[in-house]
Amino acid sequence: MATDDQQLEIPPFFVCPISLDIMKDPVTVPTGITYERDFIEKWVFAQKNQTCPVTKLPLSVNVDLTPNHTLRRLIQSWCSINVSRGVERFPTPKPLASKSQISKLLHDHNSKSADEQIKCLKKLKSIAAISDANKRCIETAGGAEFAASLITLEDSSELVVEDEYVGASDEALSMLHLLQLSDPFLKSLATNEFITALTRIMRDGCYDSRVYAVMILKSITEVANTTQMAGLKPEFFTEIVQLLKDEVTPKATRAGLHVLINVSPVGRSRVKAVEAGAVRVLIDMLLDSSEKRVCEMVLTVLDQLCQCAEGRAEVLCHGAGVAIVSKKILRVSKVGSERASRVLHSLAKYSGSPAVLHEMMEAGVVAKLCLVLQVDSGARTKERAREILKMHAITWKNSKCLPLALLSSYPRS
């Protein structure tokens, strides 16, 4: 926005106080500060911050963003005056949706055919795409609830009569994903009925719907309480594990891992995940993947599953389980090393039979743990390695499999 020989001076009150870009759609929050709409919407709705970036005063989840028409007109006028200096005049922003507009749209299509409902959902999606404020408006006006009802409807007896609801369900699923739902609404979706519907979609749905289903499940499990997660059915874990096995998309894989991380702190959920074959699939993922974030997440889930006897038994039953977990130490990240060391600690502490200890020696686990003590591997990883080595020093310290170069690092008991 400047000529080659002269820097164009922008009036400071035309600039968003945080992003430092010239504002095109200025809005004022209840604290009195004016921001660019895109910035403050992302700050509040997408990033879920609840304070004003400048004043640090609290903002509600459904904060009112009041258009600052006077400032916008001043900026547009200034742009027009400086057109010769390379400044482009931006158009007037599209008007935002109103709650009454959304309510009327829902009322007009709620009892219509599935084709009409799909048209309604597509119209809602186009409105939602304009701004985050529109997404919040659609949710508060009942649009998200309408979409959720179509998803659960597919599991009802009405599906036998009208197969076209299947198409409406797919469209509803994509709209829910687009809306970036608020935490309170996500908590309301953590019901047996809705999660069962998403489980079925992960099993029978089309390519895109399977991805949307697991992404929504990720969001639900992030905010749901322990009681809501304790009653998850075995089929839920079966389909999450199958989705990981199918490698639908990298995004779906990460979402599926997030779901397992979110639900595995519940003891019964760990056992159900293990029974669904999660451990074998996770170890196979470690063998095949070198992506840092995926490996960290896989090791996090394995650490949680090894908190139960069934999980530890499955790791030991996999021919490469102990070896690949050990191999990831010092090769992924400090987080990955810490998670892997926790898995080995669980195996050594609770499943340290003579056969297991021999396998850990043969697989190079003991040598790797000695190496951890010699390098910068993180304080927690180093301390856990020391604990494991001390735990079975009588068995390991004088083993011929331990390289002499590492023997000096073996901790004294």
Side-chain angles (χ1 to χ4, degrees):
M1 298 176 62
T3 58
D4 293 337
D5 58 350
Q6 184 178 12
Q7 181 70 32
L8 183 62
E9 183 177 351
I10 303 173
F13 51 90
F14 286 3
V15 176
C16 178
I18 299 298
S19 64
L20 303 182
D21 293 326
I22 187 169
M23 290 186 279
K24 298 180 180 179
D25 187 7
V27 293
T28 303
V29 299
T31 60
I33 305 298
T34 297
Y35 299 99
E36 169 62 22
R37 181 183 293 279
D38 284 347
F39 169 80
I40 197 63
E41 284 184 349
K42 289 178 182 177
W43 174 264
V44 176
F45 301 136
Q47 300 175 19
K48 299 185 179 180
N49 293 295
Q50 296 183 14
T51 58
C52 173
V54 172
T55 67
K56 308 303 180 185
L57 293 173
L59 297 174
S60 66
V61 176
N62 296 314
V63 59
D64 289 328
L65 304 178
T66 305
N68 192 328
H69 297 299
T70 300
L71 179 58
R72 176 178 53 77
R73 292 189 186 104
L74 284 172
I75 295 173
Q76 286 180 321
S77 176
W78 178 84
C79 290
S80 297
I81 293 172
N82 289 280
V83 167
S84 61
R85 303 175 72 179
V87 178
E88 295 183 5
R89 187 181 188 280
F90 56 87
T92 299
K94 294 181 180 179
L96 297 177
S98 66
K99 190 172 181 179
S100 59
Q101 175 190 354
I102 301 301
S103 298
K104 184 178 186 304
L105 183 62
L106 293 170
H107 180 270
D108 292 344
H109 294 83
N110 191 37
S111 59
K112 303 290 184 179
S113 67
D115 284 343
E116 287 297 314
Q117 290 175 336
I118 291 174
K119 289 179 182 178
C120 175
L121 290 167
K122 289 183 176 179
K123 177 63 176 177
L124 290 173
K125 285 171 64 177
S126 67
I127 295 172
I130 294 175
S131 72
D132 287 342
N134 278 1
K135 294 173 184 176
R136 294 281 76 79
C137 181
I138 291 171
E139 180 184 318
T140 56
E145 185 177 356
F146 169 66
S149 69
L150 294 179
I151 293 170
T152 55
L153 179 64
E154 190 168 338
D155 276 340
S156 72
S157 59
E158 293 185 54
L159 180 61
V160 178
V161 180
E162 293 194 59
D163 289 339
E164 56 191 351
Y165 273 111
V166 176
S169 172
D170 290 339
E171 198 68 44
L173 198 64
S174 67
M175 193 191 86
L176 282 183
H177 176 259
L178 174 65
L179 287 182
Q180 297 176 343
L181 301 165
S182 66
D183 288 357
F185 189 81
L186 287 169
K187 287 181 180 179
S188 74
L189 294 180
T191 63
N192 180 63
E193 183 182 25
F194 190 73
I195 291 178
T196 297
L198 293 183
T199 301
R200 178 199 48 73
I201 291 171
M202 285 193 296
R203 184 190 67 225
D204 301 329
C206 65
Y207 181 91
D208 288 338
S209 291
R210 292 182 73 194
V211 177
Y212 291 140
V214 74
M215 293 291 289
I216 293 172
L217 280 171
K218 169 184 173 290
S219 298
I220 291 174
T221 56
E222 284 175 344
V223 300
N225 58 47
T226 303
T227 303
Q228 291 172 310
M229 293 296 96
L232 293 171
K233 297 180 179 179
E235 294 80 9
F236 170 87
F237 295 93
T238 299
E239 296 312 322
I240 291 291
V241 171
Q242 186 61 49
L243 184 137
L244 294 177
K245 189 175 181 179
D246 291 344
E247 298 180 345
V248 179
T249 67
K251 184 180 291 187
T253 295
R254 289 191 293 272
L257 290 170
H258 269 294
V259 170
L260 290 179
I261 291 172
N262 294 337
V263 303
S264 291
V266 180
R268 281 177 288 178
S269 294
R270 292 184 196 133
V271 176
K272 291 174 186 176
V274 172
E275 291 175 345
V279 171
R280 177 164 292 275
V281 171
L282 292 168
I283 292 175
D284 289 343
M285 290 176 69
L286 280 183
L287 290 167
D288 295 336
S289 177
S290 58
E291 185 183 340
K292 172 185 171 181
R293 184 58 182 145
V294 170
C295 289
E296 288 177 346
M297 294 172 72
V298 169
L299 289 166
T300 299
V301 181
L302 282 176
D303 171 34
Q304 293 176 335
L305 298 186
C306 281
Q307 303 307 306
C308 67
E310 293 85 352
R312 295 190 295 272
E314 284 297 307
V315 172
L316 294 171
C317 283
H318 194 295
V322 173
I324 189 59
V325 170
S326 173
K327 184 178 180 181
K328 293 300 179 180
I329 294 178
L330 304 180
R331 292 199 177 190
V332 178
S333 64
K334 287 189 176 181
V335 172
S337 295
E338 197 267 336
R339 297 293 187 272
S341 68
R342 286 175 59 94
V343 174
L344 296 177
H345 186 272
S346 294
L347 296 176
K349 184 174 182 179
Y350 300 108
S351 303
S353 66
V356 170
L357 298 182
H358 179 72
E359 180 184 355
M360 293 178 79
M361 175 62 76
E362 291 287 330
V365 174
V366 181
K368 176 61 74 74
L369 295 175
C370 288
L371 181 60
V372 165
L373 299 180
Q374 294 184 342
V375 300
D376 180 18
S377 55
R380 287 185 293 183
T381 301
K382 189 168 292 190
E383 181 57 32
R384 193 159 285 110
R386 186 175 289 108
E387 289 178 11
I388 299 171
L389 292 171
K390 284 183 177 181
M391 199 183 300
H392 299 292
I394 295 176
T395 303
W396 289 335
K397 190 169 184 180
N398 298 317
S399 172
K400 295 180 180 179
C401 295
L402 186 63
L404 293 176
L406 296 175
L407 186 58
S408 60
S409 351
Y410 207 102
R412 295 178 180 180
S413 56

